Coordinates of all heavy atoms in Angstrom, one line a residue:
M186 N 22.6 4.8 -30.2 CA 23.3 4.2 -29.1 C 23.4 5.2 -28.0 O 23.3 4.9 -26.8 CB 24.6 3.7 -29.5 CG 25.3 2.8 -28.5 SD 24.3 1.4 -28.2 CE 25.5 0.3 -27.6
E187 N 23.7 6.5 -28.3 CA 23.8 7.5 -27.3 C 22.5 7.8 -26.6 O 22.4 8.1 -25.4 CB 24.3 8.8 -27.9 CG 25.8 8.7 -28.4 CD 26.2 9.9 -29.1 OE1 25.5 10.9 -29.0 OE2 27.3 9.9 -29.7
N188 N 21.4 7.6 -27.3 CA 20.1 7.8 -26.8 C 19.8 6.8 -25.7 O 19.1 7.1 -24.7 CB 19.0 7.7 -27.9 CG 17.8 8.4 -27.5 OD1 17.7 9.1 -26.5 ND2 16.8 8.2 -28.4
I189 N 20.2 5.6 -25.8 CA 20.0 4.5 -24.8 C 20.7 4.9 -23.5 O 20.2 4.7 -22.5 CB 20.4 3.1 -25.4 CG1 19.5 2.7 -26.5 CG2 20.3 2.1 -24.3 CD1 19.9 1.5 -27.3
S190 N 21.9 5.4 -23.7 CA 22.7 5.8 -22.5 C 22.0 6.9 -21.7 O 22.0 6.9 -20.5 CB 24.1 6.2 -22.9 OG 24.8 5.1 -23.5
A191 N 21.4 7.8 -22.5 CA 20.7 9.0 -21.8 C 19.5 8.5 -21.1 O 19.2 8.9 -20.0 CB 20.4 10.0 -22.9
I192 N 18.8 7.6 -21.7 CA 17.6 7.0 -21.1 C 17.9 6.2 -19.9 O 17.2 6.3 -18.8 CB 16.8 6.1 -22.1 CG1 16.2 7.0 -23.2 CG2 15.7 5.4 -21.4 CD1 15.6 6.3 -24.4
T193 N 19.0 5.4 -19.9 CA 19.4 4.7 -18.8 C 19.8 5.6 -17.6 O 19.5 5.3 -16.5 CB 20.6 3.7 -19.1 OG1 20.2 2.9 -20.2 CG2 21.0 2.9 -18.0
A194 N 20.6 6.7 -17.9 CA 20.9 7.6 -16.9 C 19.7 8.3 -16.3 O 19.7 8.5 -15.1 CB 21.9 8.6 -17.5
L195 N 18.8 8.6 -17.1 CA 17.5 9.2 -16.6 C 16.8 8.3 -15.7 O 16.3 8.7 -14.7 CB 16.7 9.7 -17.8 CG 15.4 10.4 -17.4 CD1 15.7 11.7 -16.8 CD2 14.6 10.6 -18.7
I196 N 16.7 7.0 -16.1 CA 16.1 6.0 -15.2 C 16.8 5.9 -13.9 O 16.2 5.8 -12.8 CB 16.0 4.6 -15.9 CG1 15.0 4.7 -17.1 CG2 15.7 3.5 -15.0 CD1 15.1 3.5 -18.0
A197 N 18.2 5.9 -13.9 CA 18.9 5.7 -12.7 C 18.8 7.0 -11.8 O 18.6 6.8 -10.6 CB 20.4 5.6 -13.0
V198 N 18.8 8.1 -12.3 CA 18.6 9.3 -11.5 C 17.2 9.4 -10.9 O 17.0 9.7 -9.8 CB 18.9 10.6 -12.4 CG1 18.4 11.9 -11.7 CG2 20.3 10.7 -12.7
S199 N 16.2 9.0 -11.7 CA 14.8 9.0 -11.2 C 14.6 8.0 -10.1 O 14.0 8.2 -9.1 CB 13.8 8.8 -12.3 OG 14.0 7.5 -12.9
I200 N 15.3 6.8 -10.2 CA 15.2 5.8 -9.2 C 15.9 6.3 -7.9 O 15.4 6.1 -6.8 CB 15.8 4.5 -9.6 CG1 15.0 3.8 -10.7 CG2 16.1 3.5 -8.4 CD1 15.6 2.6 -11.3
F201 N 17.0 7.0 -8.1 CA 17.7 7.6 -6.9 C 16.9 8.6 -6.2 O 16.7 8.6 -5.0 CB 19.0 8.2 -7.4 CG 19.8 8.9 -6.2 CD1 20.5 8.1 -5.3 CD2 19.7 10.2 -6.1 CE1 21.2 8.8 -4.3 CE2 20.4 10.9 -5.1 CZ 21.1 10.1 -4.2
L202 N 16.2 9.5 -7.0 CA 15.4 10.5 -6.3 C 14.2 10.0 -5.7 O 13.8 10.4 -4.6 CB 15.0 11.6 -7.4 CG 16.2 12.4 -7.9 CD1 15.7 13.3 -9.0 CD2 16.8 13.2 -6.8
I203 N 13.6 9.0 -6.3 CA 12.4 8.3 -5.7 C 12.8 7.6 -4.4 O 12.1 7.8 -3.3 CB 11.7 7.4 -6.6 CG1 11.1 8.2 -7.8 CG2 10.7 6.5 -6.0 CD1 10.6 7.3 -8.9
S204 N 13.9 6.9 -4.4 CA 14.3 6.2 -3.1 C 14.7 7.2 -2.1 O 14.5 7.0 -0.9 CB 15.4 5.2 -3.4 OG 16.5 5.8 -3.9
F205 N 15.4 8.3 -2.5 CA 15.8 9.3 -1.5 C 14.5 9.9 -0.9 O 14.5 10.1 0.3 CB 16.6 10.4 -2.3 CG 17.3 11.3 -1.4 CD1 18.5 11.0 -0.8 CD2 16.7 12.6 -1.1 CE1 19.2 11.9 0.0 CE2 17.4 13.5 -0.3 CZ 18.6 13.1 0.2
F206 N 13.5 10.2 -1.7 CA 12.3 10.8 -1.1 C 11.6 9.9 -0.2 O 11.1 10.3 0.9 CB 11.4 11.2 -2.3 CG 10.1 11.8 -1.8 CD1 10.0 13.1 -1.3 CD2 8.9 11.1 -1.9 CE1 8.8 13.7 -0.9 CE2 7.7 11.6 -1.5 CZ 7.7 12.9 -1.0
I207 N 11.5 8.6 -0.5 CA 10.9 7.6 0.3 C 11.6 7.5 1.6 O 11.0 7.4 2.7 CB 10.7 6.3 -0.4 CG1 9.7 6.4 -1.5 CG2 10.3 5.2 0.6 CD1 9.7 5.2 -2.5
Y208 N 12.9 7.4 1.6 CA 13.8 7.3 2.8 C 13.5 8.6 3.7 O 13.3 8.4 4.9 CB 15.2 7.2 2.5 CG 16.1 7.1 3.7 CD1 16.4 5.9 4.2 CD2 16.7 8.3 4.2 CE1 17.2 5.8 5.4 CE2 17.5 8.2 5.3 CZ 17.8 7.0 5.9 OH 18.6 6.9 7.0
W209 N 13.5 9.7 3.1 CA 13.3 10.9 3.9 C 11.9 10.9 4.5 O 11.7 11.3 5.7 CB 13.4 12.2 3.0 CG 13.1 13.4 3.6 CD1 13.8 14.1 4.6 CD2 11.9 14.2 3.4 NE1 13.1 15.2 4.9 CE2 11.9 15.3 4.2 CE3 10.8 14.0 2.5 CZ2 10.9 16.3 4.2 CZ3 9.8 15.0 2.5 CH2 9.9 16.1 3.4
R210 N 10.9 10.5 3.8 CA 9.5 10.5 4.3 C 9.4 9.6 5.5 O 8.6 9.8 6.4 CB 8.5 10.2 3.2 CG 8.3 11.2 2.1 CD 7.6 12.4 2.6 NE 6.2 12.0 2.9 CZ 5.3 12.9 3.3 NH1 5.6 14.2 3.4 NH2 4.1 12.5 3.5
I211 N 10.0 8.4 5.4 CA 9.9 7.4 6.4 C 10.7 7.8 7.7 O 10.3 7.7 8.8 CB 10.3 6.1 5.9 CG1 9.3 5.6 4.9 CG2 10.5 5.0 7.0 CD1 9.7 4.3 4.2
M212 N 12.0 8.3 7.5 CA 12.9 8.4 8.6 C 12.9 9.8 9.2 O 13.5 10.0 10.3 CB 14.3 8.1 8.1 CG 14.5 6.7 7.7 SD 14.1 5.5 8.9 CE 15.5 5.8 10.0
R213 N 12.3 10.8 8.7 CA 12.4 12.2 9.3 C 11.8 12.3 10.7 O 12.5 12.8 11.5 CB 11.8 13.2 8.3 CG 10.3 13.1 8.2 CD 9.8 14.1 7.2 NE 8.5 13.8 6.9 CZ 7.6 14.7 6.5 NH1 8.0 15.9 6.2 NH2 6.4 14.4 6.3
Y214 N 10.7 11.7 10.9 CA 10.1 11.8 12.3 C 10.8 10.8 13.2 O 10.9 11.1 14.4 CB 8.6 11.6 12.2 CG 7.9 12.6 11.5 CD1 7.1 12.4 10.4 CD2 8.0 14.0 11.9 CE1 6.5 13.3 9.7 CE2 7.3 15.0 11.2 CZ 6.5 14.6 10.1 OH 5.9 15.6 9.4
Y215 N 11.2 9.7 12.7 CA 11.9 8.7 13.6 C 13.2 9.3 14.1 O 13.5 9.1 15.3 CB 12.1 7.4 12.8 CG 12.9 6.4 13.6 CD1 12.4 5.7 14.6 CD2 14.3 6.2 13.3 CE1 13.1 4.8 15.3 CE2 15.0 5.3 14.0 CZ 14.4 4.6 15.1 OH 15.2 3.7 15.8
S216 N 14.0 9.9 13.3 CA 15.3 10.4 13.7 C 15.1 11.6 14.7 O 15.9 11.7 15.6 CB 16.1 10.9 12.5 OG 15.6 11.9 11.8
R217 N 14.1 12.4 14.4 CA 13.9 13.5 15.3 C 13.4 13.0 16.7 O 13.9 13.5 17.7 CB 12.8 14.4 14.8 CG 12.5 15.7 15.6 CD 11.6 16.6 15.0 NE 12.3 17.2 13.9 CZ 11.7 18.1 13.0 NH1 10.4 18.4 13.2 NH2 12.4 18.6 12.1
K218 N 12.6 12.0 16.7 CA 12.1 11.4 18.0 C 13.3 10.7 18.7 O 13.4 10.8 19.9 CB 11.0 10.4 17.7 CG 10.3 9.9 19.0 CD 9.2 8.9 18.6 CE 9.9 7.5 18.5 NZ 8.9 6.5 18.3
E219 N 14.1 10.0 17.9 CA 15.2 9.2 18.5 C 16.3 10.1 19.1 O 16.8 9.8 20.2 CB 15.8 8.3 17.5 CG 16.7 7.2 18.0 CD 16.0 6.2 18.8 OE1 14.8 5.9 18.6 OE2 16.6 5.6 19.7
L220 N 16.6 11.2 18.4 CA 17.7 12.0 18.9 C 17.2 13.1 19.9 O 18.0 13.5 20.7 CB 18.3 12.8 17.7 CG 19.0 12.0 16.7 CD1 19.4 12.8 15.5 CD2 20.3 11.4 17.3
G221 N 16.0 13.4 19.9 CA 15.5 14.5 20.7 C 15.6 15.8 20.0 O 16.4 16.0 19.0
E222 N 14.7 16.7 20.4 CA 14.6 18.0 19.6 C 15.9 18.8 19.7 O 16.3 19.4 18.7 CB 13.4 18.8 20.1 CG 13.0 19.9 19.2 CD 12.4 19.4 17.9 OE1 11.8 18.3 17.9 OE2 12.7 20.0 16.9
K223 N 16.5 18.8 20.9 CA 17.7 19.7 21.1 C 18.9 19.1 20.2 O 19.6 19.9 19.6 CB 18.1 19.7 22.6 CG 19.3 20.6 22.9 CD 19.5 20.6 24.4 CE 20.7 21.6 24.7 NZ 21.0 21.6 26.1
M224 N 19.1 17.8 20.3 CA 20.2 17.2 19.5 C 19.9 17.3 18.0 O 20.9 17.4 17.2 CB 20.4 15.7 20.0 CG 21.5 15.0 19.3 SD 23.1 15.8 19.9 CE 24.2 14.7 19.1
Y225 N 18.7 17.2 17.6 CA 18.3 17.2 16.2 C 18.6 18.6 15.5 O 18.9 18.6 14.4 CB 16.8 16.9 16.0 CG 16.4 16.8 14.5 CD1 16.8 15.7 13.8 CD2 15.7 17.8 13.9 CE1 16.4 15.6 12.5 CE2 15.4 17.7 12.6 CZ 15.7 16.6 11.9 OH 15.4 16.5 10.6
K226 N 18.6 19.6 16.3 CA 18.9 20.9 15.8 C 20.4 21.2 15.5 O 20.8 22.1 14.9 CB 18.4 22.0 16.7 CG 16.9 22.1 16.7 CD 16.4 23.2 17.6 CE 14.9 23.2 17.5 NZ 14.3 24.3 18.4
Q227 N 21.3 20.3 16.0 CA 22.7 20.5 15.8 C 23.0 20.0 14.4 O 22.4 19.0 13.9 CB 23.5 19.7 16.8 CG 23.3 20.3 18.2 CD 24.1 19.5 19.2 OE1 24.8 18.5 18.9 NE2 24.1 20.0 20.4
W228 N 24.0 20.6 13.7 CA 24.3 20.3 12.3 C 24.9 18.9 12.1 O 24.6 18.3 11.1 CB 25.2 21.4 11.7 CG 26.6 21.3 12.3 CD1 27.1 21.9 13.4 CD2 27.7 20.5 11.8 NE1 28.4 21.6 13.6 CE2 28.8 20.7 12.6 CE3 27.8 19.6 10.7 CZ2 30.0 20.1 12.4 CZ3 29.1 19.0 10.5 CH2 30.1 19.2 11.4
N229 N 25.6 18.4 13.1 CA 26.2 17.1 12.9 C 25.2 16.0 12.9 O 25.4 15.0 12.2 CB 27.4 16.8 13.9 CG 26.9 16.9 15.3 OD1 25.8 17.3 15.6 ND2 27.8 16.6 16.2
A230 N 24.1 16.1 13.7 CA 23.1 15.1 13.7 C 22.4 15.1 12.3 O 22.1 14.0 11.8 CB 22.1 15.3 14.8
R231 N 22.1 16.2 11.8 CA 21.5 16.3 10.5 C 22.4 15.9 9.4 O 22.0 15.3 8.4 CB 21.0 17.7 10.2 CG 19.8 18.1 11.0 CD 19.3 19.4 10.6 NE 18.2 19.8 11.4 CZ 17.4 20.9 11.2 NH1 17.7 21.7 10.2 NH2 16.4 21.1 12.0
L232 N 23.7 16.1 9.5 CA 24.7 15.7 8.5 C 24.6 14.1 8.4 O 24.6 13.6 7.3 CB 26.1 16.1 8.9 CG 27.2 15.6 8.0 CD1 27.1 16.2 6.6 CD2 28.5 15.9 8.7
Y233 N 24.6 13.5 9.6 CA 24.6 12.0 9.6 C 23.3 11.5 9.0 O 23.3 10.4 8.3 CB 24.8 11.4 11.0 CG 26.2 11.6 11.5 CD1 26.4 12.2 12.8 CD2 27.3 11.3 10.7 CE1 27.7 12.3 13.2 CE2 28.6 11.5 11.2 CZ 28.8 12.0 12.4 OH 30.0 12.2 12.9
F234 N 22.2 12.2 9.2 CA 20.9 11.8 8.7 C 21.0 11.9 7.1 O 20.6 10.9 6.4 CB 19.8 12.7 9.2 CG 18.5 12.4 8.5 CD1 17.7 11.3 8.8 CD2 18.0 13.3 7.5 CE1 16.5 11.0 8.2 CE2 16.8 13.0 6.9 CZ 16.0 11.9 7.3
W235 N 21.4 13.0 6.6 CA 21.5 13.1 5.1 C 22.5 12.2 4.5 O 22.3 11.8 3.4 CB 21.7 14.6 4.8 CG 20.5 15.4 5.1 CD1 20.4 16.4 6.0 CD2 19.2 15.3 4.5 NE1 19.1 16.9 6.0 CE2 18.4 16.3 5.1 CE3 18.7 14.5 3.5 CZ2 17.0 16.4 4.7 CZ3 17.3 14.7 3.1 CH2 16.5 15.6 3.7
Q236 N 23.6 12.0 5.2 CA 24.6 11.1 4.7 C 24.0 9.7 4.6 O 24.2 9.0 3.6 CB 25.8 11.1 5.6 CG 27.0 10.3 5.1 CD 28.2 10.4 6.1 OE1 28.1 10.9 7.2 NE2 29.3 9.9 5.6
G237 N 23.3 9.3 5.6 CA 22.7 8.0 5.6 C 21.6 7.9 4.5 O 21.5 6.8 3.8
A238 N 20.9 9.0 4.2 CA 19.9 9.0 3.2 C 20.6 8.8 1.8 O 20.1 8.1 0.9 CB 19.1 10.3 3.2
V239 N 21.7 9.5 1.6 CA 22.4 9.4 0.3 C 23.0 8.0 0.1 O 22.8 7.4 -1.0 CB 23.5 10.4 0.2 CG1 24.4 10.2 -1.0 CG2 22.9 11.8 0.1
F240 N 23.6 7.4 1.2 CA 24.1 6.1 1.1 C 23.0 5.0 0.8 O 23.2 4.1 0.0 CB 24.9 5.7 2.3 CG 26.2 6.4 2.4 CD1 26.9 6.6 3.7 CD2 26.9 6.9 1.3 CE1 28.1 7.2 3.8 CE2 28.1 7.6 1.4 CZ 28.7 7.7 2.7
T241 N 21.9 5.1 1.5 CA 20.9 4.2 1.4 C 20.2 4.3 0.0 O 20.0 3.3 -0.7 CB 19.8 4.4 2.4 OG1 20.4 4.3 3.7 CG2 18.7 3.4 2.3
S242 N 20.0 5.5 -0.5 CA 19.4 5.7 -1.8 C 20.4 5.2 -2.9 O 19.9 4.6 -3.9 CB 19.1 7.2 -2.0 OG 18.2 7.6 -1.1
T243 N 21.7 5.4 -2.7 CA 22.6 4.9 -3.7 C 22.6 3.3 -3.7 O 22.6 2.7 -4.8 CB 24.0 5.4 -3.4 OG1 24.0 6.8 -3.3 CG2 25.0 4.9 -4.4
G244 N 22.6 2.7 -2.6 CA 22.5 1.3 -2.5 C 21.2 0.7 -3.2 O 21.2 -0.3 -3.9
V245 N 20.1 1.3 -2.9 CA 18.8 0.9 -3.4 C 18.8 1.1 -4.9 O 18.4 0.2 -5.7 CB 17.6 1.7 -2.8 CG1 16.4 1.5 -3.5 CG2 17.5 1.3 -1.3
T246 N 19.4 2.2 -5.4 CA 19.5 2.4 -6.9 C 20.4 1.4 -7.5 O 20.0 0.8 -8.6 CB 20.1 3.8 -7.1 OG1 19.3 4.8 -6.5 CG2 20.2 4.1 -8.6
F247 N 21.5 1.1 -7.0 CA 22.4 0.0 -7.6 C 21.6 -1.3 -7.6 O 21.7 -2.1 -8.6 CB 23.7 -0.1 -6.8 CG 24.7 0.9 -7.2 CD1 25.5 1.5 -6.2 CD2 24.9 1.4 -8.4 CE1 26.4 2.5 -6.5 CE2 25.8 2.4 -8.8 CZ 26.5 2.9 -7.8
L248 N 20.9 -1.6 -6.5 CA 20.2 -2.9 -6.4 C 19.1 -3.0 -7.5 O 19.0 -4.0 -8.2 CB 19.6 -3.1 -5.0 CG 18.8 -4.4 -4.8 CD1 19.8 -5.6 -4.9 CD2 18.1 -4.3 -3.5
I249 N 18.3 -1.9 -7.7 CA 17.3 -1.9 -8.6 C 17.8 -2.0 -10.1 O 17.3 -2.7 -10.9 CB 16.3 -0.7 -8.4 CG1 15.6 -0.9 -7.1 CG2 15.4 -0.5 -9.6 CD1 14.7 0.3 -6.7
I250 N 18.9 -1.2 -10.3 CA 19.5 -1.2 -11.7 C 20.1 -2.6 -12.0 O 19.9 -3.2 -13.1 CB 20.6 -0.2 -11.8 CG1 20.0 1.2 -11.8 CG2 21.4 -0.3 -13.1 CD1 19.1 1.6 -12.9
F251 N 20.7 -3.3 -11.0 CA 21.2 -4.6 -11.1 C 20.1 -5.6 -11.4 O 20.2 -6.4 -12.3 CB 22.0 -5.1 -9.9 CG 22.4 -6.5 -9.9 CD1 23.5 -6.8 -10.7 CD2 21.8 -7.5 -9.2 CE1 24.0 -8.1 -10.8 CE2 22.2 -8.8 -9.3 CZ 23.3 -9.1 -10.1
I252 N 19.0 -5.5 -10.7 CA 17.9 -6.4 -11.0 C 17.3 -6.2 -12.4 O 16.9 -7.1 -13.1 CB 16.8 -6.2 -9.9 CG1 17.3 -6.8 -8.6 CG2 15.5 -6.9 -10.3 CD1 16.4 -6.5 -7.4
L253 N 17.1 -4.9 -12.8 CA 16.6 -4.6 -14.1 C 17.6 -5.1 -15.2 O 17.1 -5.6 -16.2 CB 16.4 -3.1 -14.3 CG 15.2 -2.5 -13.5 CD1 15.2 -1.0 -13.6 CD2 13.9 -3.1 -13.9
K254 N 18.9 -5.0 -15.0 CA 19.9 -5.5 -15.9 C 19.8 -7.0 -16.0 O 19.9 -7.6 -17.0 CB 21.3 -5.0 -15.5 CG 22.4 -5.6 -16.3 CD 22.5 -4.8 -17.7 CE 23.8 -5.3 -18.3 NZ 23.6 -5.6 -19.7
W255 N 19.7 -7.7 -14.8 CA 19.7 -9.1 -14.7 C 18.5 -9.7 -15.4 O 18.5 -10.8 -16.0 CB 19.7 -9.5 -13.2 CG 19.8 -11.0 -13.0 CD1 20.7 -11.9 -13.4 CD2 18.8 -11.7 -12.2 NE1 20.4 -13.1 -13.0 CE2 19.2 -13.1 -12.2 CE3 17.7 -11.4 -11.5 CZ2 18.6 -14.1 -11.6 CZ3 17.0 -12.4 -10.9 CH2 17.4 -13.7 -10.9
T256 N 17.3 -9.0 -15.3 CA 16.1 -9.5 -16.0 C 16.0 -9.1 -17.4 O 15.0 -9.3 -18.0 CB 14.9 -9.0 -15.2 OG1 14.9 -7.6 -15.1 CG2 14.8 -9.7 -13.8
N257 N 17.0 -8.4 -17.9 CA 17.1 -8.0 -19.3 C 16.0 -6.9 -19.6 O 15.6 -6.8 -20.8 CB 17.0 -9.1 -20.3 CG 18.2 -10.0 -20.2 OD1 19.3 -9.5 -20.0 ND2 18.1 -11.3 -20.5
V258 N 15.6 -6.1 -18.7 CA 14.7 -5.0 -18.9 C 15.6 -3.9 -19.5 O 15.2 -3.2 -20.4 CB 14.0 -4.6 -17.6 CG1 13.2 -3.3 -17.9 CG2 13.1 -5.8 -17.2
L259 N 16.7 -3.6 -18.9 CA 17.7 -2.6 -19.3 C 18.8 -3.3 -20.1 O 19.3 -4.4 -19.6 CB 18.3 -1.8 -18.2 CG 17.3 -0.9 -17.4 CD1 18.1 -0.2 -16.3 CD2 16.8 0.2 -18.4
T260 N 19.2 -2.8 -21.2 CA 20.3 -3.3 -21.9 C 21.3 -2.1 -22.2 O 21.0 -1.2 -22.8 CB 19.9 -3.9 -23.3 OG1 19.2 -2.9 -24.0 CG2 19.0 -5.1 -23.0
F261 N 22.5 -2.3 -21.6 CA 23.5 -1.3 -21.8 C 24.9 -1.9 -21.8 O 25.1 -3.0 -21.4 CB 23.4 -0.1 -20.9 CG 23.4 -0.4 -19.4 CD1 24.6 -0.6 -18.7 CD2 22.2 -0.6 -18.8 CE1 24.5 -0.9 -17.3 CE2 22.1 -1.0 -17.5 CZ 23.3 -1.1 -16.7

């Protein structure tokens, strides 16, 4: 039983990291272009970018885990 929990946690962490990487790859040039080079170098602009990346990745992870649970692929 403990092994299933570890596998589920590993799946959740891997989904989070994959969605985080995809968000970063898509949004990094867009945010730099939208803010401008001078504003992008300030720490608060980057903080909001990374905060948005974490929130978006968390939401995507919860959505994917919910769908996998709903379709009975994951059982916990």
Side-chain angles (χ1 to χ4, degrees):
M186 192 62 158
E187 294 173 10
N188 200 10
I189 294 173
S190 300
I192 293 171
T193 304
L195 184 63
I196 290 171
V198 169
S199 63
I200 290 171
F201 177 79
L202 292 176
I203 290 168
S204 63
F205 192 83
F206 179 73
I207 291 171
Y208 179 87
W209 173 73
R210 292 287 292 182
I211 292 171
M212 297 300 292
R213 65 183 171 157
Y214 294 120
Y215 175 76
S216 65
R217 183 175 287 177
K218 185 180 88 172
E219 192 69 28
L220 291 173
E222 197 64 38
K223 185 176 180 182
M224 183 67 176
Y225 184 75
K226 290 184 179 180
Q227 294 179 358
W228 69 270
N229 57 355
R231 288 189 181 185
L232 174 72
Y233 291 133
F234 174 76
W235 291 111
Q236 186 178 12
V239 168
F240 287 158
T241 303
S242 299
T243 303
V245 168
T246 302
F247 282 140
L248 181 67
I249 291 173
I250 292 295
F251 175 75
I252 290 171
L253 290 175
K254 175 79 171 135
W255 182 59
T256 57
N257 291 328
V258 174
L259 291 178
T260 56
F261 52 89

